């Protein structure tokens, strides 16, 4: 069973196992904190039972007027949780949030 919820500060200390994958672009802590502070609605984490981080999506909004849109900065899923359409679910969530905002 997977739980998708908003990312919180404590998650920054728990998601390193996902970021160790060579396909995942990583950033410094201040970068993640900036996204969390400025666009909290666009930062979500997927958890397995036992609060194990399966993956996350990080995005933001940008543009003006008609060009206002959501932007995906990072989406990643730990190798052991891939091929379950988790990234697709995270992308759909971000798209829904962008449409509502």
């Amino acid at each position: 069973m997977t739980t998708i919820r908003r990312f919180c500060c404590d998650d920054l200390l728990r998601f390193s196992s996902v970021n160790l994958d060579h396909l995942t672009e990583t950033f410094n802590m201040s970068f993640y904190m900036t996204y969390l502070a400025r666009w909290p609605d666009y930062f979500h984490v997927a958890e397995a039972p036992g609060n194990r981080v399966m993956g996350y999506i990080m995005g933001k909004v940008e543009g003006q007027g008609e060009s206002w849109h959501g932007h995906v900065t990072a989406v990643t899923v730990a190798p052991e949780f891939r091929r379950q359409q988790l990234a697709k679910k995270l992308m759909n969530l971000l798209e829904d949030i962008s449409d509502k905002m």
Side-chain angles (χ1 to χ4, degrees):
M1 184 169 178
T2 303
T3 302
I4 297 176
R5 61 167 178 77
R6 283 178 54 173
F7 203 91
C8 66
C9 287
D10 290 344
D11 296 322
L12 291 170
L13 304 173
R14 301 180 326 107
F15 77 147
S16 60
S17 61
V18 177
N19 280 352
L20 290 175
D21 180 57
H22 70 280
L23 297 176
T24 299
E25 183 175 359
T26 59
F27 308 96
N28 60 42
M29 280 296 181
S30 64
F31 187 86
Y32 292 109
M33 290 296 290
T34 299
Y35 270 71
L36 191 55
R38 292 188 68 188
W39 302 286
D41 294 332
Y42 289 80
F43 206 163
H44 285 79
V45 63
E47 285 183 326
N51 297 328
R52 188 157 170 227
V53 175
M54 301 168 71
Y56 64 89
I57 191 163
M58 180 172 65
K60 64 181 180 177
V61 290
E62 58 188 12
Q64 293 180 339
E66 291 292 318
S67 66
W68 185 259
H69 62 279
H71 170 84
V72 177
T73 302
V75 60
T76 189
V77 176
E80 62 270 26
F81 297 110
R82 291 186 183 150
R83 312 224 13 111
Q84 299 177 31
Q85 297 190 355
L86 186 54
K88 180 180 179 178
K89 290 174 185 157
L90 291 168
M91 288 295 296
N92 287 340
L93 175 64
L94 195 75
E95 184 177 1
D96 290 344
I97 291 169
S98 295
D99 287 343
K100 290 177 184 172
M101 298 295 207

